[in-house]
Amino acid sequence: MAYQFETVKLEKGMYNEAGRSFTKVLEKCDPSEQYQGTPLEKLDAFQRQLKRFDIKVNGPASDVVAKFFATWESAVLFPEYVARAVRQGMEESDILPLMTAADTTITGMDYRSIASQPSDEGKSLKMVAEGAEIPQTKISSQENLVKLHKRGRMLVASYEAIQFQRLDLFSVTLRQIGAYINRMHVADAIDVITKGDGNSNAAQRFTIGDGVISGTAGQLNYGALVDFWSQFDPYTMNTLLVGDAMAQVLKLPELRDAAAGLTFQGTGKMVTPMGATLLRSSAVPANTIIGLDKNYALELVRTGDVLVEYDKLIDRQLERAAITSISGFSKIFQEASKVLELGSAKAGQ
């Protein structure tokens, strides 16, 4: 039985179609819907092209890099293979979905988000008398544009050096590049949470022992976390971002009881303060804990998928071929994220 994917004409221009990724262009030429009920129904258009040219990218029997360059058309598939491996690395260590309330993809480089900063009066839904005016929630566009950052890595390798390397091993290096890019995006997100997105909306800061948060500066205790949690009303502190303070959090007696230990040893899941998701990132400032309501705090804005210099990759000019991703972050509700600084212990303590 002849399939349509076997006759699709592959060319460089498929990477340059505005508003469409390479896979979407392939899907347009070779729709997956027509493979329902066939042995190929679980493959997308790109995977069907790998099958067409008999290229195996995973497992001990994976092919070498040179297999992509056996023909001109199969070489066109190489940039998409690189992009997918990088995306896999980004997804393996991705904590952004646990931090962001919305994910927006735009086609240009300019984006102005919206925000609503209700007063205490505006947060309460009071009874409206007959004929009385209904309270308003004002939503307006932000004064400043979202700052987008281009993050990436340069692939520096000669074709001669990698042509006989197995694709399974080469994918490991590409996944590491994706992991690095993702860490950079997380650092950007944390910077926007703490300092704001340029619209005078930096997170409110508290310090242990400041009168609002109980305890002694420099010493984290469960009571301080409870006081910090209580500052979020009407939001919910359902996510905690921690850096070097992670050890102090895990050493709290309330998180070291027998049940907590059995849960961690049996499932690898930590019992967390107030049920909040505990995320670790080296981008969190020292002696700092960031709390947020991930449902209302942050918007992720990106210009599209992972970008690769497809011309260089197809032409085997791997030396200094850039792999990049462009994204930025915007705060939605300022009060949905707050910062707890542990402070410095007093001399003599």
Side-chain angles (χ1 to χ4, degrees):
M1 178 180 179
Y3 291 104
Q4 184 174 337
F5 76 90
E6 296 173 329
T7 59
V8 173
K9 182 175 176 55
L10 302 177
E11 56 185 4
K12 279 185 180 182
M14 300 175 80
Y15 285 97
N16 203 29
E17 190 169 321
R20 290 178 181 271
S21 65
F22 179 78
T23 296
K24 287 183 178 179
V25 174
L26 271 182
E27 286 286 352
K28 182 180 177 181
C29 301
D30 179 37
S32 292
E33 291 78 8
Q34 64 183 345
Y35 295 94
Q36 295 296 324
T38 74
L40 304 177
E41 65 178 345
K42 294 184 179 180
L43 304 181
D44 65 20
F46 174 72
Q47 292 168 328
R48 288 193 292 274
Q49 291 302 312
L50 292 181
K51 180 176 178 61
R52 170 187 176 185
F53 293 100
D54 191 30
I55 300 174
K56 301 178 182 65
V57 298
N58 298 313
S62 63
D63 290 305
V64 296
V65 172
K67 186 68 175 287
F68 272 105
F69 299 94
T71 70
W72 167 252
E73 285 194 286
S74 61
V76 174
L77 300 173
F78 188 62
E80 177 64 12
Y81 153 74
V82 171
R84 289 194 175 208
V86 171
R87 282 199 300 272
Q88 184 180 353
M90 293 177 68
E91 293 166 358
E92 286 173 349
S93 57
D94 192 11
I95 63 174
L96 288 176
L98 303 176
M99 299 168 53
T100 52
D103 188 336
T104 303
T105 300
I106 61 175
T107 55
M109 292 298 291
D110 294 334
Y111 178 75
R112 196 182 303 274
S113 188
I114 60 174
S116 175
Q117 301 298 340
S119 62
D120 291 338
E121 183 74 14
K123 294 175 185 177
S124 59
L125 298 180
K126 296 181 179 180
M127 184 178 295
V128 180
E130 184 176 351
E133 182 180 358
I134 298 177
Q136 300 177 351
T137 295
K138 183 179 179 181
I139 300 176
S140 58
S141 59
Q142 295 277 33
E143 180 180 353
N144 294 315
L145 297 172
V146 173
K147 296 179 181 178
L148 300 178
H149 300 281
K150 185 175 184 178
R151 302 296 193 186
R153 289 268 164 168
M154 198 72 73
L155 183 61
V156 182
S158 67
Y159 175 71
E160 289 73 19
I162 66 170
Q163 62 178 321
F164 299 118
Q165 291 296 324
R166 296 286 176 183
L167 289 168
D168 195 47
L169 176 60
F170 188 53
S171 295
V172 174
T173 301
L174 296 175
R175 292 202 307 270
Q176 185 186 50
I177 290 175
Y180 285 148
I181 293 175
N182 183 258
R183 288 173 195 159
M184 296 174 189
H185 288 323
V186 170
D188 289 337
I190 291 172
D191 188 68
V192 168
I193 291 173
T194 56
K195 300 178 183 178
D197 57 13
N199 291 285
S200 300
N201 52 7
Q204 185 179 8
R205 292 177 176 271
F206 300 90
T207 303
I208 294 178
D210 63 2
V212 178
I213 307 298
S214 62
T216 302
Q219 300 178 15
L220 180 65
N221 60 73
Y222 198 75
L225 284 177
V226 172
D227 290 340
F228 185 51
W229 167 83
S230 69
Q231 302 303 314
F232 278 80
D233 185 61
Y235 300 101
T236 301
M237 188 188 76
N238 49 36
T239 303
L240 284 176
L241 294 167
V242 187
D244 64 354
M246 178 66 83
Q248 293 191 56
V249 173
L250 297 180
K251 288 179 181 179
L252 292 174
E254 290 79 3
L255 302 182
R256 289 192 291 123
D257 59 32
L262 289 174
T263 299
F264 178 69
Q265 294 178 32
T267 66
K269 296 180 179 179
M270 295 176 290
V271 176
T272 59
M274 279 66 74
T277 301
L278 197 58
L279 305 176
R280 184 175 185 177
S281 172
S282 59
V284 177
N287 295 318
T288 300
I289 294 175
I290 300 172
L292 62 144
D293 187 333
K294 61 91 53 184
N295 298 313
Y296 299 98
L298 200 64
E299 176 189 16
L300 167 60
V301 181
R302 59 178 114 211
T303 61
D305 218 329
V306 174
L307 303 176
V308 297
E309 292 186 302
Y310 60 88
D311 275 318
K312 288 185 177 181
L313 296 182
I314 293 173
D315 295 338
R316 309 187 197 186
Q317 299 173 11
L318 276 66
E319 296 91 342
R320 306 195 65 77
I323 302 171
T324 59
S325 176
I326 302 175
S327 69
F329 298 87
S330 172
K331 296 191 75 169
I332 304 175
F333 291 96
Q334 181 180 0
E335 296 181 356
S337 59
K338 302 179 188 295
V339 174
L340 175 63
E341 296 177 336
L342 306 188
S344 301
K346 296 180 180 179
Q349 290 188 336

